[in-house]
Amino acid sequence: MASKIQPAAGDETSAIWQEEDAELMKLPVKPIPGDYGMPVIGAIKDRLDFYYFQGQDKFFQARVDKYKSTVVRLNMPPGPIMASNPRVIALLDAKSFPVLFDVSKVEKKDVFTGTYMPSTSLTGGYRVCSYLDPSEANHTKIKQLLFTMLASRKDQVIPTFRTNFSSLFATMESQIASSGKSDFNALNDVTSFDFIGDAYFGVRPSDNSSLGSSGASKAAKWLFFQLCPLMTLGLPMAVEELLLHTFPLPSFLIKSDYKALYEYFNAAAASALDTALKLGLSREEACHNLIFATVFNSYGGLKVLFPGILSCLATSDPKFHNRLAQEIRSAVAADGGKLTFSAIQKMELTNSVVYEALRLDPPVKFQYGHAKKDLIIGSHDASYIVKKGEMLFGYQPCATKDPMVFSNADKFVGDRFLGDEGKKLLKYVVWSNGPETETPTVNNKQCPGKDFVVLVGRLLVAEFFLRYDTFTGEVGKELLGAKVTVTSLTKASAM
């Protein structure tokens, strides 16, 4: 039977409890259930369940159901041979998950992709910011560089978005007119890559001689080389296990593509690289970090976010579309007929839609950290002892779809975050490696582009419903998230 708090003096956990809050101390202490199985064999078994026999969501839910606990021990892929230690403590609820944001309790060094780390040969030989713990000196310098760059270009975001996505919508209309459908993901992949380069550096990648029209495909290929150990492509299991999940793909296969990306960034980001020198970074290290932040973090995020938003809207009825259109067009009309930042701030339903899409399908689904010290971690109904050095893992969809926090947790509820009660839920929207109610700093691991991502999500919804009253689409799945095929568009009418 679980013991009750508080441990007696001299108990091995008594010193830990002195640092914990009163709410946590009310919970019964339980041993962390689950096991890792036999060495190597247990990890491979979990890997096969994760990729093939259960799939991600069922993999975690099956263990929650089996052990009647949302804090469990398990092995995370890819495991042997790529990752020497696949053992983690999984945090699968909204209450336990936030410890992964607390850098006083967890170390974030080399854990961005989890129990394995891609070769630094993919990033010019440097450990880029995402793999640095805030205690490392370069973390502050690189993150400050990113903050400075984003601040210097903030006035360019809306006009560059409108320019680039106006072209996307025109192509979408043409494709539907000719073939009855349009692959939004394919259009978004190319457009988002151009938009990011345009917004951040004032130079569209497609206008660059080293990249041209192949920029987005080169970027996607480079992303794949880093993330393929966490993917399944639908190939025969034996083939995928050997090619993707056992050994890293050799980086020389991507060398020429990465060189082209580097040449573009080295030229386009010259002003940001000048800033890097003043911060004590070399131009070379700064350039590799800008590539990672722009391509992996920003572009990789928009490849998931924009189809995710549109997939949510495709499942909504025309009445909800009408509510959005009315709000967006009224706010724009009240601001002189222009889509401005102040107009967007007034679009409460639009903002709620973006938060809800980020809650349902966060661009980054996994979080990791090593316990810096012995910890007590609480779920909704129990507390657990974690030893220093143990790897903590969080599957974000379990946290952001926690039925103890969100009603109809698996459903898209577009107006979920309206009003005072809705605003209280924002602290549970944690897609950015931190709560939506908190701010990125050089001292934490929250995404420096958090506000940028939310803004462009709002811009997508606003621009869409300035043009269209409603639409229909087919929703499916692809490697990183939702796949949307738009099948009809109804042009905007007067309201």
Side-chain angles (χ1 to χ4, degrees), residues 182-195:
S182 176
D183 183 341
F184 175 78
N185 292 61
L187 296 178
N188 178 59
D189 283 354
V190 175
T191 304
S192 286
F193 191 68
D194 261 358
F195 159 63

Side-chain angles (χ1 to χ4, degrees), residues 81-311:
I81 301 173
M82 199 176 300
S84 60
N85 186 2
R87 299 181 173 191
V88 302
I89 297 169
L91 312 177
L92 305 175
D93 62 77
K95 186 75 177 292
S96 62
F97 190 89
V99 72
L100 290 160
F101 310 143
D102 188 343
V103 294
S104 71
K105 294 182 177 180
V106 297
E107 183 183 67
K108 306 290 279 188
K109 182 178 180 180
D110 296 340
V111 297
F112 180 65
T113 40
T115 58
Y116 80 103
M117 179 179 169
S119 171
T120 56
S121 61
L122 293 167
T123 51
Y126 292 95
R127 291 173 57 242
V128 292
C129 190
S130 290
Y131 292 96
L132 301 179
D133 186 78
S135 63
E136 299 179 76
N138 269 14
H139 181 273
T140 295
K141 297 175 184 179
I142 296 166
K143 203 165 184 182
Q144 185 59 58
L145 170 63
L146 299 176
F147 285 143
T148 301
M149 182 192 73
L150 288 166
S152 70
R153 298 291 298 174
K154 65 180 186 301
D155 293 336
Q156 304 304 315
V157 175
I158 293 178
T160 56
F161 184 93
R162 301 201 76 183
T163 297
N164 285 280
F165 278 82
S166 290
S167 177
L168 179 149
F169 292 131
T171 302
M172 182 187 296
E173 291 177 21
S174 176
Q175 290 178 348
I176 293 172
S178 62
S179 64
K181 62 182 180 179
S182 176
D183 183 341
F184 175 78
N185 292 61
L187 296 178
N188 178 59
D189 283 354
V190 175
T191 304
S192 286
F193 191 68
D194 261 358
F195 159 63
I196 289 287
D198 201 358
Y200 284 1
F201 311 117
V203 182
R204 284 161 51 98
S206 61
D207 296 335
N208 178 265
S209 59
S210 66
L211 288 178
S213 60
S214 67
S217 62
K218 285 179 168 63
K221 186 177 177 182
W222 179 69
L223 286 171
F224 176 77
F225 267 61
Q226 296 172 81
L227 293 173
C228 64
L230 299 177
M231 294 179 178
T232 177
L233 304 178
L235 301 173
M237 183 172 67
V239 175
E240 287 195 342
E241 281 294 281
L242 179 62
L243 295 182
L244 302 183
H245 305 150
T246 304
F247 304 100
L249 293 176
S251 59
F252 73 83
L253 295 175
I254 198 74
K255 185 176 180 179
S256 63
D257 297 279
Y258 189 71
K259 181 181 178 182
L261 289 169
Y262 185 91
E263 289 175 356
Y264 161 73
F265 278 87
N266 196 41
S271 178
L273 297 178
D274 290 341
T275 300
L277 291 175
K278 298 174 184 177
L279 293 170
L281 293 166
S282 71
R283 295 181 76 89
E284 182 182 10
E285 182 172 8
C287 191
H288 289 295
N289 271 278
L290 288 178
I291 294 172
F292 195 91
T294 304
V295 178
F296 195 116
N297 300 133
S298 298
Y299 175 58
L302 297 192
K303 280 172 67 70
V304 178
L305 175 63
F306 285 172
I309 291 173
L310 214 60
S311 71

Side-chain angles (χ1 to χ4, degrees), residues 345-349 351-352 355 406 415-429 435-438 458:
Q345 290 294 91
K346 298 170 186 174
M347 300 176 187
E348 294 185 357
L349 182 60
N351 296 344
S352 179
Y355 291 138
F406 296 102
D415 54 6
R416 187 185 297 276
F417 296 100
L418 294 184
D420 291 339
E421 291 304 310
K423 289 182 174 63
K424 291 178 182 178
L425 293 174
L426 285 176
K427 67 180 180 180
Y428 299 106
V429 179
E436 191 61 33
T437 50
E438 295 185 6
R458 295 167 176 173

Side-chain angles (χ1 to χ4, degrees), residues 4 20 49 120 133 265 272 275 296 342 344 363 430 438 451:
K4 290 286 185 178
E20 304 300 341
D49 282 345
T120 56
D133 186 78
F265 278 87
T275 300
F296 195 116
S342 61
I344 290 169
V430 292
E438 295 185 6
D451 293 337

